[in-house]
C-alpha cells in the first residue's frame, strides 16, 4: 500500500495558540502543499467560522491534485457544513477515552458509538470519503477502540485514524498498538501523533513500521500545545533513514516551511531539524574543515535535497579554512598571513559574544587586505516622516554604480517605510529580497543602541548584515545596504 501523507497545517496547525490564517493565506499554503506533493490536505474545520468555510471553499474550488479534507465532529450539522464547502473527504472524529466521553460529551461509550455511526452513515450517504477517527485513542480502552473502528469500517468508512491526542505514546508502545490495530482491523490506518514528549516523529515512524499507511503531519510541526509530527522530519526520516518513498518533492520543503513561518508568525527555532537556520550551518573550525573536504563528514544529507544551501557561520570557533573558503566565494584572495590576521579579528568579536555577519567579515577582510570596500549602492539622502494621523512615509536618494535613483515608500511604521523606499529602488536594479529582519536593543532606555541584523537573498545566495546605531531607522538602513553591497560584490 502506498504511504499517504495528510497535511494538517491548515487545521491542527492553525489551532496553534495565536495562529490564524486569512482565507487568502490558507489558499496560498494549500497550493504550496499541493506542489509539495502531499496526498491529502486537511483544509480546516467548517464549523469554526464563516471565514473558515470561505477558505475551505476556495481551496476545494482550486482543482488541486490533493484530496481536500475537512475536520468534522460526529454531528450532522458539521457534515452539512463540510458538504457546503464541497470537500472530497472528511476527517470524522469521535473521542474514545473515558475522560473525554465523561468530561466533554457526557455520554456513555455506547451512546458515543451510536452518535459516531450515525454521523458516519449520514456522511457516506452524501457521497463523502470518510476517515473515521478516534480522538485520544491512545488513552482509550483498547477493546472498545478496536470494536468502534471495526464497526465504522463495516459501515463503510474508507479508512480509520488512531490519534495520540496528548502525545503519550513512546515508539515501542506505538509500534505495539499499531501492530495490533493492523492485525485486528485489516484496513488503511492513519497515525496522528502529537509532540508533548518530543516523540511525535519517532512515534509516527514506529506506526508506519507497524503497518500504518497514512501519516498526519504539519509544516514546521505546528499544532496544539507542543505541536504535531512535523512533515519535514517525518518525510526526511522516512526517505533518508528508512528507505520509504513518500512522493513528496523534497526540494520544495524549505520554501513551504518559510511560507508557513511567515503567515503563522511562529518563528522556526534555529536548531529545528531540516528547516531550522542551524540545520546546515557550521561554525567550528574542525567541522568546517571536514565539511569542505567532504560534506558527509558532518551532514547526514546534503542541504540541496530540501532546497537549502550550506552556511558557514563566523565567530569565535571559526577556523582558517572557513575564512578562506568564504572570501574566495566573494572573489577575494587573501594570503595565508592575511587569513591569520582576519581570523584573529573575527575571534576578538566572537569573544565579545557576537555573531559576525557576512558583511562584517567582508569589511574586516577588506581592511586587513588593504582593499577599499567596493560599494555598489550608496545612500545619499533619506527623509522619513511619521506621527499621529499620518501614514509613515519615506523618500530616498541612492547612488547605484554612478546612477542616481530616487524613490519613496510607505509602511506600517517609519522603519518599514524607509526599508520599502530603498527596497523599491533596489527592485529596479537587482533581484535582492529581504528574508529576515531582527532587532535587539543593546542597552535599556529610549536612547538605547539598537542592533539590527538582516538576512538577504538574491535567489541563490543568502547573506547576513548588521547595522548598529542609536537611531533604529539608520541601523536598519545600514544593515540593509551593507547586505546588498555584500551580495553585489
Ligand atoms: Mn491533533
Amino acid at each position: 500500500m502506498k504511504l499517504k501523507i495528510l497535511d494538517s497545517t491548515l487545521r491542527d496547525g492553525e489551532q496553534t495558540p495565536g495562529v490564524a490564517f486569512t482565507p487568502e493565506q490558507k489558499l496560498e499554503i494549500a497550493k504550496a502543499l499541493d506542489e509539495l506533493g502531499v496526498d491529502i490536505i486537511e483544509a480546516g474545520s467548517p464549523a469554526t467560522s464563516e471565514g473558515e468555510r470561505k477558505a475551505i471553499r476556495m481551496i476545494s474550488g482550486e482543482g488541486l491534485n490533493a484530496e481536500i479534507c475537512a475536520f468534522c465532529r460526529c454531528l450532522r450539522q458539521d457534515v452539512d457544513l463540510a458538504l457546503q464547502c464541497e470537500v472530497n473527504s472528511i476527517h470524522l472524529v469521535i473521542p474514545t477515552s473515558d475522560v473525554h466521553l465523561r468530561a466533554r460529551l457526557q455520554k456513555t461509550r455506547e451512546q458515543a458509538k451510536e452518535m459516531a455511526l450515525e454521523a458516519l452513515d449520514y456522511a457516506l450517504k452524501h457521497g463523502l470519503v470518510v476517515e473515521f477517527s478516534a480522538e485520544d485513542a491512545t488513552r482509550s480502552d483498547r477493546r472498545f477502540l478496536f470494536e468502534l473502528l471495526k464497526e465504522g469500517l463495516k459501515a463503510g468508512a474508507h479508512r480509520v485514524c488512531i490519534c495520540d491526542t496528548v502525545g503519550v505514546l513512546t515508539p515501542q508502545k506505538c509500534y505495539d498498538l499499531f501492530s495490533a490495530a493492523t492485525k485486528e482491523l485489516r484496513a488503511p490506518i492513519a497515525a496522528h501523533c502529537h509532540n508533548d514528549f518530543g516523540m511525535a516523529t519517532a512515534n509516527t515512524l514506529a506506526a508506519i513500521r507497524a503497518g500504518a499507511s497514512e501519516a498526519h503531519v504539519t509544516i514546521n510541526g505546528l499544532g496544539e500545545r507542543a505541536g504535531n509530527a512535523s512533515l519535514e522530519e517525518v518525510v526526511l526520516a522516512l526517505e533518508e533513514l528508512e528507505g520509504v518513498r513518500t512522493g513528496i518533492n523534497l526540494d520544495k520543503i524549505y520554501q513551504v516551511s518559510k511560507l508557513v513561518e511567515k503567515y503563522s508568525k511562529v518563528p522556526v527555532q534555529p536548531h529545528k531539524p531540516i528547516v531550522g537556520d542551524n540545520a546546515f550551518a557550521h561554525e567550528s573550525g574542525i567541522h568546517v574543515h571536514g565539511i569542505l573536504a567532504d560534506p558527509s563528514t558532518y551532514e547526514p544529507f546534503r542541504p540541496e535535497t530540501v532546497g537549502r544551501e550550506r552556511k558557514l557561520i563566523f565567530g569565535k570557533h571559526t577556523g582558517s579554512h572557513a575564512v578562506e573558503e568564504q572570501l574566495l566565494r566573494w572573489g577575494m584572495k587573501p594570503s595565508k598571513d592575511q587569513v591569520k590576521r582576519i581570523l584573529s579579528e573575527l575571534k576578538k568579536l566572537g569573544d565579545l559574544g557576537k555573531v559576525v555577519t557576512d558583511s562584517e567579515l567582508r569589511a574586516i577582510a577588506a581592511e586587513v587586505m588593504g582593499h577599499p570596500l567596493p560599494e555598489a549602492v550608496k545612500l545619499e539622502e533619506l527623509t522619513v516622516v511619521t506621527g499621529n494621523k499620518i501614514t509613515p512615509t519615506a523618500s530616498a536618494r541612492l547612488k547605484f554604480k554612478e546612477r542616481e535613483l530616487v524613490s519613496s515608500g510607505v509602511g506600517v511604521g517609519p522603519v518599514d517605510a524607509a526599508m520599502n523606499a530603498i527596497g523599491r529602488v533596489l527592485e529596479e536594479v537587482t533581484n535582492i529580497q529581504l528574508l529576515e529582519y531582527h532587532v535587539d536593543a543593546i542597552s535599556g532606555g529610549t536612547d538605547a543602541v539598537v542592533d539590527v541584523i538582516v538576512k538577504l537573498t538574491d535567489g541563490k545566495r543568502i547573506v547576513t548584515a548588521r547595522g548598529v546605531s542609536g537611531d533604529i531607522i539608520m541601523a536598519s538602513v545600514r544593515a540593509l545596504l551593507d547586505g546588498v553591497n555584500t551580495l553585489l560584490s
Side-chain angles (χ1 to χ4, degrees):
M1 208 181 308
K2 188 210 165 275
L3 179 75
K4 283 188 175 169
I5 302 289
L6 177 146
D7 183 280
S8 188
T9 306
L10 298 176
R11 201 277 296 171
D12 218 331
E14 202 187 13
Q15 286 170 224
T16 304
V19 173
F21 301 121
T22 65
E24 290 72 23
Q25 288 171 344
K26 283 196 122 179
L27 179 62
E28 199 180 329
I29 293 171
K31 284 196 218 164
L33 290 170
D34 196 52
E35 275 175 36
L36 188 62
V38 307
D39 300 281
I40 307 162
I41 295 172
E42 190 173 19
S45 178
T48 304
S49 69
E50 185 46 50
E52 180 82 344
R53 290 191 283 281
K54 181 182 165 199
I56 301 171
R57 267 195 301 271
M58 278 160 68
I59 294 167
S60 298
E62 192 62 27
L64 302 177
N65 289 316
E67 172 186 316
I68 307 303
C69 180
F71 176 95
C72 289
R73 294 167 297 177
C74 287
L75 299 170
R76 203 174 264 229
Q77 76 222 42
D78 276 26
V79 177
D80 282 333
L81 290 172
L83 285 164
Q84 284 170 26
C85 294
E86 299 183 326
V87 292
N88 306 114
S89 64
I90 60 170
H91 177 205
L92 185 67
V93 181
I94 186 79
T96 50
S97 67
D98 290 335
V99 57
H100 274 250
L101 291 178
R102 198 172 48 235
R104 285 180 45 216
L105 297 193
Q106 280 126 22
K107 286 196 189 307
T108 63
R109 290 180 182 179
E110 276 314 305
Q111 288 169 326
K113 183 160 67 171
E114 206 176 297
M115 179 183 174
L117 293 173
E118 213 180 282
L120 171 63
D121 184 58
Y122 184 71
L124 290 170
K125 280 206 176 102
H126 285 82
L128 288 164
V129 167
V130 181
E131 179 164 323
F132 191 52
S133 187
E135 184 181 10
D136 205 19
T138 53
R139 292 191 302 178
S140 305
D141 174 63
R142 201 181 275 193
R143 258 214 335 241
F144 172 61
L145 171 69
F146 286 174
E147 181 191 298
L148 176 80
L149 294 178
K150 247 195 235 170
E151 288 200 30
L153 287 164
K154 213 167 86 193
H158 298 80
R159 51 185 194 253
V160 296
C161 177
I162 293 178
C163 300
D164 188 20
T165 302
V166 288
V168 294
L169 288 178
T170 62
Q172 190 60 54
K173 284 182 184 168
C174 187
Y175 184 85
D176 292 345
L177 173 63
F178 277 82
S179 295
T182 311
K183 220 157 77 206
E184 193 85 16
L185 304 174
R186 304 192 177 280
I189 307 173
H192 180 103
C193 297
H194 276 268
N195 205 31
D196 294 75
F197 289 89
M199 286 185 284
T201 298
N203 289 338
T204 304
L205 256 67
I208 291 166
R209 258 285 163 103
S213 60
E214 181 184 318
H216 283 203
V217 291
T218 60
I219 300 291
N220 299 340
L222 285 183
E224 299 264 12
R225 303 180 314 281
N228 287 61
S230 93
L231 179 142
E232 55 279 7
E233 291 175 20
V234 168
V235 165
L236 265 293
L238 285 170
E239 297 262 352
E240 293 287 330
L241 308 178
E242 302 268 283
V244 175
R245 297 280 84 93
T246 60
I248 295 293
N249 297 311
L250 304 180
D251 60 345
K252 294 204 159 63
I253 282 182
Y254 187 60
Q255 70 191 59
V256 180
S257 162
K258 283 290 155 206
L259 180 71
V260 170
E261 180 183 44
K262 184 169 95 182
Y263 289 155
S264 66
K265 301 189 185 80
V266 178
V268 171
Q269 79 200 49
H271 53 293
K272 174 89 170 63
I274 324 293
V275 292
D277 269 4
N278 294 351
F280 299 98
H282 308 278
E283 179 178 330
S284 97
I286 297 167
H287 282 219
V288 172
H289 186 192
I291 283 283
L292 294 176
D294 180 348
S296 72
T297 49
Y298 289 107
E299 282 173 357
F301 60 89
R302 288 178 173 265
E304 291 78 14
T305 310
V306 290
R308 303 193 60 175
E309 269 195 354
R310 180 169 306 120
K311 183 104 178 90
L312 303 180
I313 303 294
F314 299 94
K316 71 181 217 184
H317 303 106
T318 299
S320 54
H321 291 279
V323 169
E324 228 178 324
E325 167 73 16
Q326 186 62 60
L327 294 179
L328 276 176
R329 285 187 198 173
W330 290 330
M332 298 167 101
K333 294 190 187 85
S335 67
K336 289 274 171 231
D337 181 57
Q338 286 170 332
V339 169
K340 235 192 235 164
R341 278 159 54 207
I342 294 165
L343 196 57
S344 111
E345 290 301 314
L346 266 182
K347 290 194 183 242
K348 272 187 217 158
L349 284 174
D351 278 336
L352 296 173
K354 289 203 352 170
V355 172
V356 181
T357 63
D358 298 310
S359 66
E360 286 167 307
L361 170 62
R362 190 167 152 267
I364 292 169
E367 195 171 315
V368 167
M369 294 168 72
H371 293 333
L373 200 55
E375 281 190 318
V377 182
K378 248 194 182 138
L379 182 69
E380 300 277 316
E381 216 180 275
L382 176 71
T383 312
V384 183
V385 186
T386 188
N388 186 23
K389 290 186 182 169
I390 73 162
T391 306
T393 309
S395 62
R397 197 155 57 81
L398 289 101
K399 211 166 220 173
F400 178 78
K401 296 177 181 164
E402 303 312 312
R403 269 172 70 193
E404 189 160 288
L405 300 165
V406 182
S407 130
S408 60
V410 295
V412 296
V415 172
D416 192 36
M419 300 291 262
N420 286 341
I422 295 170
R424 192 171 297 167
V425 176
L426 295 173
E427 228 169 66
E428 285 172 32
V429 287
T430 68
N431 57 349
I432 295 174
Q433 274 189 335
L434 180 68
L435 288 178
E436 274 173 41
Y437 172 90
H438 184 87
V439 57
D440 273 320
I442 297 174
S443 49
T446 52
D447 61 347
V449 171
V450 296
D451 183 350
V452 171
I453 293 188
V454 296
K455 194 183 274 186
L456 303 167
T457 185
D458 60 0
K460 279 192 301 228
R461 293 170 306 158
I462 293 176
V463 304
T464 50
R466 165 183 269 127
V468 179
S469 170
D471 178 333
I472 188 169
I473 296 168
M474 287 320 296
S476 305
V477 168
R478 236 169 252 161
L480 177 65
L481 293 179
D482 276 356
V484 168
N485 281 319
T486 304
L487 268 177
L488 291 174
S489 67

